[in-house]
Amino acid sequence: MKAKYYSTTELAKRAGTSRQVISAILNNSWQSKRISQKTFDRVQAIIEEVGYVPDRAATSLRKQGTGTIGVVYHGPLHSHVLEAVQRFNNYFLENGQEVEIAVSSENKLHQALTHLMGHRVERMLILLSSLTKTYGEELGDRAMLRLLQAVPTVVYNYPFGILPKELDKQLIDAGNQLVGFSRSSVYLQLFKTLQAKGASRVLLDQKIHDMVVPDPKVGKLLNKFSLVDTYPNPQFDQSSTNPYQLGESLGTSLLPRIKQGKGYDYLITASDMIAQGCAARLSSQDVKIPKDIQIVGFDKVDALPYFQHPISTIEVPVKQMVSTAIDLLEDYPKSGAKHLAKARYLEE
């Protein structure tokens, strides 16, 4: 599958006008050239329809190498996404792959894609961060979908089971490759394990709850638990703060609830570092980990064996996902597809 870019000549032919008129509109000099509002509106409608992006490489007379891959780091780089970035960077360097990189923040993904397409990249790789509030919702924007139809794109860390299935289908029909894992499936595995052990009273991160409970299987299972309480995600609007410190603060805020005598069996957190910081603070207040309460993290970070306090975790299949994404970038299929890796719950 090849990138489909329109030239100004092709755009002019489609609009039934001259290349000079197209250039004037793109350069915002159409009024001084006495081009009518009607012509401007017609051309603009066609530009939006085909997802046209000006060729910045040609404009700046800069020559790009062939096969350039556009890479978007979208949102705060953290934990398993940061590990993926390192793996991708190593691959690009070792193989002499030319890349054009864009970094985008919340609601700026369209701008980043337009920048990359302006440099006529032949493939695109989008790395989504779960720390964005929208977490992939931007992909459903009509203008975004038009761009993603033009260039073969691999979306890494796609949130299967969180976004509507209709959006999954739209992206796949547009030729995109979706690489990720199902959070609802791995948390269903976790909750089944707890149920089998007789644990039925949990304290759960609200963001995790909101991600997985829409899955009917997860919701049905949690309804069988004796108690499911939630607490605000500590990384919300604080993604730049050290997660261990966030965990310490979380431990302080949850301590009264844990000591109220509700008898929580498990505390489920959003990362291993948050879990460890929380464990440290609770332990300092005579809460024994894991005897009094078992803490669950997320990521299976490399430092896990060296942590002072034992915690359970969820292992994200980063190596498999990165390998799949690289294979797709090297030999891009003719049609879009989803590539679902399997995360694992690892009990301490």
Side-chain angles (χ1 to χ4, degrees):
M1 183 177 177
K2 294 184 177 180
K4 297 174 287 187
Y5 290 113
Y6 281 84
S7 66
T8 53
T9 300
E10 291 169 324
L11 199 61
K13 184 177 180 180
R14 189 180 182 99
T17 186
S18 69
R19 186 171 176 275
Q20 288 74 20
V21 168
I22 298 296
S23 296
I25 290 174
L26 293 175
N27 294 326
N28 202 30
S29 60
W30 61 279
Q31 289 176 314
S32 63
K33 301 289 186 181
R34 297 185 179 181
I35 295 169
S36 70
Q37 183 70 48
K38 184 177 180 180
T39 298
F40 173 82
D41 291 341
R42 185 178 79 254
V43 171
Q44 280 294 105
I46 292 172
I47 287 174
E48 182 178 343
E49 178 187 343
V50 302
Y52 175 81
V53 176
D55 186 347
R56 292 192 182 89
T59 302
S60 65
L61 299 181
R62 181 167 61 85
K63 299 295 184 181
Q64 287 278 15
T66 59
T68 303
I69 294 176
V71 181
V72 181
Y73 299 140
H74 182 56
L77 301 180
H78 70 291
S79 55
H80 68 90
V81 178
L82 187 56
E83 180 185 345
V85 169
Q86 293 171 337
R87 288 180 178 273
F88 281 120
N89 286 346
N90 287 340
Y91 165 75
F92 295 144
L93 289 170
E94 289 174 2
N95 290 274
Q97 173 64 56
E98 185 171 356
V99 297
E100 186 79 32
I101 296 175
V103 179
S104 62
S105 56
E106 197 88 33
N107 297 316
K108 299 293 184 181
L109 183 55
H110 184 278
Q111 182 177 325
L113 296 185
T114 302
H115 167 79
L116 294 178
M117 291 175 67
H119 290 296
R120 292 307 189 251
V121 296
E122 292 191 7
R123 299 272 193 276
M124 286 200 295
L125 170 65
I126 302 173
L127 287 87
L128 295 178
S129 168
S130 58
L131 293 186
T132 57
K133 298 173 186 176
T134 54
Y135 193 12
E137 291 177 9
E138 295 166 74
L139 296 170
D141 180 77
R142 288 179 61 189
M144 188 84 70
L145 285 170
R146 290 192 186 95
L147 293 181
L148 293 174
Q149 286 177 327
V151 181
T153 300
V154 175
V155 183
Y156 180 89
N157 196 33
Y158 186 81
F160 289 111
I162 296 175
L163 298 177
K165 289 184 178 179
E166 293 78 10
L167 178 53
D168 296 2
K169 185 177 185 303
Q170 282 181 305
L171 290 166
I172 290 171
D173 289 347
N176 298 284
Q177 307 298 324
L178 311 181
V179 179
F181 65 97
S182 169
R183 282 163 174 76
S184 60
S185 293
V186 71
Y187 278 102
L188 180 63
Q189 177 190 346
L190 185 160
F191 295 137
K192 282 182 176 180
T193 301
L194 302 195
Q195 187 181 52
K197 294 177 62 176
S200 64
R201 306 174 73 84
V202 301
L203 194 50
L204 177 62
D205 183 293
Q206 183 69 53
K207 186 171 183 178
I208 296 174
H209 177 277
D210 293 346
M211 282 184 177
V212 303
V213 165
D215 184 320
K217 292 181 181 178
V218 175
K220 184 178 180 179
L221 183 57
L222 283 182
N223 284 336
K224 296 179 180 180
F225 278 45
S226 301
L227 180 65
V228 178
D229 283 344
T230 61
Y231 61 88
N233 179 272
Q235 288 179 303
F236 187 79
D237 288 335
Q238 296 192 70
S239 59
S240 61
T241 303
N242 184 291
Y244 186 92
Q245 293 176 322
L246 291 175
E248 290 180 313
S249 298
L250 177 63
T252 299
S253 66
L254 294 181
L255 184 63
R257 297 171 69 175
I258 291 173
K259 285 198 168 184
Q260 277 176 357
K262 290 188 176 182
Y264 292 113
D265 301 304
Y266 277 75
L267 167 61
I268 301 173
T269 70
S271 84
D272 290 343
M273 295 305 294
I274 288 176
Q276 191 61 198
C278 188
R281 183 56 53 88
L282 292 176
S283 294
S284 71
Q285 299 300 314
D286 299 322
V287 177
K288 295 179 177 60
I289 311 297
K291 182 179 179 181
D292 294 336
I293 188 170
Q294 175 69 59
I295 300 180
V296 180
F298 188 92
D299 279 338
K300 194 191 173 187
V301 296
D302 292 340
L304 192 62
Y306 308 101
F307 281 168
Q308 180 180 356
H309 304 282
I311 63 170
S312 300
T313 190
I314 288 174
E315 180 182 29
V316 179
V318 176
K319 186 176 180 180
Q320 178 187 349
M321 289 162 58
V322 171
S323 178
T324 297
I326 289 173
D327 288 345
L328 292 168
L329 290 170
E330 289 183 340
D331 188 14
Y332 203 91
K334 293 182 179 179
S335 58
K338 68 176 182 180
H339 306 269
L340 192 62
K342 187 176 181 180
R344 296 189 302 157
Y345 171 59
L346 304 176
E347 181 80 5
E348 168 56 35

